[in-house]
Amino acid sequence: MTTETTQAPAMESPEARRPAVAVLVVIFTVIDGALRVLLIERSAPPADGQWAIPGGALLHGETLEQAAERKLAEETGVTDLFLEQLYTFGDLDPASGDGSVGVSWFALVDPSRARLARRTAWRPAWWDLSELPPLAFDNNRVIDVARARLISKLQYTDAAYSLLPTTFTMRELQEVYEAIVGQPLDKRNFRRRLLATGFIAATAELRADGRHRPARLYRFAHRS
Amino acid sequence: MTTETTQAPAMESPEARRPAVAVLVVIFTVIDGALRVLLIERSAPPADGQWAIPGGALLHGETLEQAAERKLAEETGVTDLFLEQLYTFGDLDPASGDGSVGVSWFALVDPSRARLARRTAWRPAWWDLSELPPLAFDNNRVIDVARARLISKLQYTDAAYSLLPTTFTMRELQEVYEAIVGQPLDKRNFRRRLLATGFIAATAELRADGRHRPARLYRFAHRS
DNA sequence: GCAAAAGTGTTCGGCGTACACCCATGC
DNA sequence: GCATGGGTGTACGCCGAACACTTTTGC
């Protein structure tokens, strides 16, 4: 009577579907004080010619997280950074009607370490969040969710470690925060707050960078 | 060379898998001051005889959220309450090795409205979180994630509306909060804080309930 | 009048926010 | 010596936490 199966993988009922499962990775970076997201120009139907969030099907034997890591590495060449599951969408491509399921993730990458894949087909590029092109499927929704989550993560985690080189100045860190929250922050309060969290620590080094006082370099303290 | 597909539902590669997709619903309630979760005793392999979180495969044409609502209604008879996506697990049943994907949700139900399905097979029951039986698959992990999320949701949303009747006393509300966070709260601070959020509002009614001063009834104010 | 739960105010410390000037360097 | 960005301290308002007594009712 009921279709109770309690996630028994082996049970199969006539009405059950086996939808395609894809992972999508919303990859953020901050370049020139602007928050950007990596998009890929689709070179085949559906949505040929439109830009979309990088993603693809799971490979055999791969976990969801491994698939997300693989996608991230394929597009940016980087590994071992902030990557977190975001949300699972059951209706990203309503047009297809096949009920594909998209498990979305979001990642933060340091632009100085990322090397975008240089293909001509499925070409990846960084897009400023305030000037997104028309996106395939329902990818705008995914990016909105990711941005909201990024802002809130920034408040109580050291997620930003993944957006910066190992050492950086307070100003560089502050610019990253400002780009993400979308508003200027007070220099003194920012410094005090970030040091108080314990996420970052001063190094012994300074960086001279023009005709003014050199800036102290900091590093993230997490699992040092 | 790359397997880029950007979640194109139509593309199919030889290595791509079509794993089973199930939804799981962690259903919480508070009874007698204790946080409880609904579990179902499995009556068929795999994990025959063990207890598990209610769940099952998607039906054709159903969205993920509809499947979660359906599961919730099947087990408790209630609809239209707090239900939110939690996390998607790619390896809930590592033993099977088929890589099934479980999209977990969590729900909050008012015990006075819930009527558990009274079957003998796949029998549902409320379990105190501090005395869980051995669970099938990796369901303990799912419950841990759900509980953590519930605690944090309670701090900044009116999610508790879904755990109580339409009107309730301050004490009842406080007992629900205490059961969830797992520690006693100060009566005065609790009242002040909850009223300050605007989530709840006083009604004109009182409830006399023994040989002591009657308690004022409150209701949730959300989308009233 | 007494037992039982309902209801109520104040103090304190910490934290986020606003705000302006001196410091070190390169040229 | 001056232009440029680096670096610092204080005052205030809000909020969460701690804490004890009076009020209303039923019996």
Side-chain angles (χ1 to χ4, degrees):
Chain A
M1 171 63 247
T2 130
T3 54
E4 183 60 57
T5 61
T6 41
Q7 76 269 14
M11 281 187 79
E12 211 49 59
S13 86
E15 315 102 321
R17 357 185 285 236
R18 287 186 99 84
V21 174
V23 296
L24 324 189
V25 189
V26 182
I27 305 171
F28 287 113
T29 199
V30 175
I31 300 175
D32 295 337
L35 180 59
R36 305 190 185 196
V37 64
L38 189 74
L39 297 178
I40 282 181
E41 189 173 18
R42 295 180 60 85
S43 298
D48 192 5
Q50 291 188 65
W51 291 81
I53 299 167
L58 269 73
L59 301 188
H60 184 72
E62 206 178 34
T63 67
L64 292 171
E65 182 159 20
Q66 285 164 351
E69 281 168 359
R70 175 173 54 81
K71 273 290 144 200
L72 181 56
E74 282 173 12
E75 302 306 334
T76 65
V78 293
T79 55
D80 189 32
L81 34 75
F82 183 90
L83 176 65
E84 193 176 280
Q85 191 180 306
L86 187 60
Y87 196 79
T88 298
F89 296 89
D91 51 353
L92 275 182
D93 185 11
S96 84
D98 76 339
S100 59
V101 168
V103 182
S104 63
W105 296 72
F106 80 111
L108 305 177
V109 315
D110 167 11
S112 71
R113 285 200 293 156
R115 292 285 169 267
L116 297 197
R118 298 199 57 78
R119 1 181 162 88
T120 52
W122 303 103
R123 182 170 57 90
W126 293 117
W127 285 83
D128 193 308
L129 268 205
S130 56
E131 317 171 338
L132 292 180
L135 296 189
F137 313 121
D138 211 352
N139 281 182
N140 285 297
R141 209 164 101 231
V142 182
I143 291 179
D144 288 346
V145 174
R147 184 189 162 93
R149 210 38 179 275
L150 170 55
I151 291 175
S152 89
K153 272 283 156 178
L154 212 57
Q155 308 307 316
Y156 62 99
T157 72
D158 63 349
Y161 77 88
S162 202
L163 289 164
L164 289 155
T166 41
T167 62
F168 48 86
T169 65
M170 270 290 174
R171 165 172 291 257
E172 288 166 343
L173 182 61
Q174 184 173 342
E175 279 171 354
V176 165
Y177 272 71
E178 288 176 338
I180 293 172
V181 303
Q183 56 182 336
L185 301 172
D186 180 86
K187 183 163 59 156
R188 287 163 290 189
N189 294 337
F190 179 78
R191 166 185 299 264
R192 184 176 25 241
R193 187 163 63 85
L194 265 285
L195 287 172
T197 61
F199 295 157
I200 61 170
T203 70
E205 293 148 79
L206 303 177
R207 180 197 294 160
D209 193 22
R211 51 178 195 170
H212 55 81
R213 180 171 171 177
R216 178 160 306 272
L217 294 179
Y218 293 81
R219 60 180 175 77
F220 278 90
H222 72 122
R223 56 178 182 194
S224 70
Chain B
M1 176 62 248
T2 132
T3 54
E4 182 62 57
T5 61
T6 41
Q7 77 269 15
M11 279 187 80
E12 208 52 60
S13 84
E15 314 101 325
R17 3 183 279 236
R18 287 187 97 84
V21 174
V23 295
L24 326 190
V25 189
V26 181
I27 305 172
F28 288 113
T29 198
V30 175
I31 299 175
D32 295 337
L35 180 59
R36 303 188 186 199
V37 64
L38 189 75
L39 296 177
I40 282 181
E41 190 174 18
R42 295 181 59 86
S43 297
D48 192 6
Q50 291 188 66
W51 292 81
I53 299 168
L58 270 73
L59 301 188
H60 184 71
E62 206 177 35
T63 67
L64 292 171
E65 181 158 22
Q66 285 164 352
E69 282 168 359
R70 174 172 56 80
K71 271 292 143 200
L72 181 57
E74 282 173 11
E75 302 305 335
T76 65
V78 293
T79 55
D80 190 31
L81 34 75
F82 183 91
L83 177 65
E84 194 176 281
Q85 191 180 306
L86 186 59
Y87 196 80
T88 297
F89 296 89
D91 51 352
L92 275 182
D93 185 11
S96 83
D98 76 339
S100 60
V101 169
V103 183
S104 64
W105 296 72
F106 79 111
L108 305 177
V109 315
D110 167 12
S112 70
R113 286 201 291 156
R115 293 286 167 267
L116 297 197
R118 298 198 57 77
R119 359 183 163 89
T120 51
W122 302 103
R123 180 171 59 92
W126 293 117
W127 286 84
D128 193 306
L129 269 205
S130 55
E131 314 171 340
L132 292 180
L135 296 189
F137 313 120
D138 210 352
N139 282 181
N140 285 298
R141 210 165 100 229
V142 182
I143 291 178
D144 288 345
V145 175
R147 184 187 163 96
R149 214 26 187 277
L150 170 56
I151 292 176
S152 89
K153 273 281 157 181
L154 212 58
Q155 308 308 316
Y156 62 100
T157 71
D158 64 349
Y161 78 86
S162 202
L163 288 164
L164 289 155
T166 40
T167 62
F168 48 86
T169 65
M170 269 292 174
R171 165 171 291 259
E172 288 167 343
L173 182 62
Q174 184 173 343
E175 278 172 353
V176 165
Y177 272 72
E178 287 176 338
I180 293 172
V181 303
Q183 55 181 337
L185 301 173
D186 180 85
K187 183 162 61 157
R188 288 163 290 189
N189 294 337
F190 180 79
R191 167 184 299 265
R192 184 176 27 242
R193 186 163 63 86
L194 265 284
L195 288 172
T197 61
F199 295 156
I200 62 169
T203 70
E205 294 148 78
L206 302 178
R207 180 197 294 159
D209 192 23
R211 54 177 193 171
H212 55 81
R213 179 169 173 178
R216 178 160 307 271
L217 295 179
Y218 292 82
R219 60 178 175 77
F220 277 89
H222 71 123
R223 57 181 180 193
S224 71

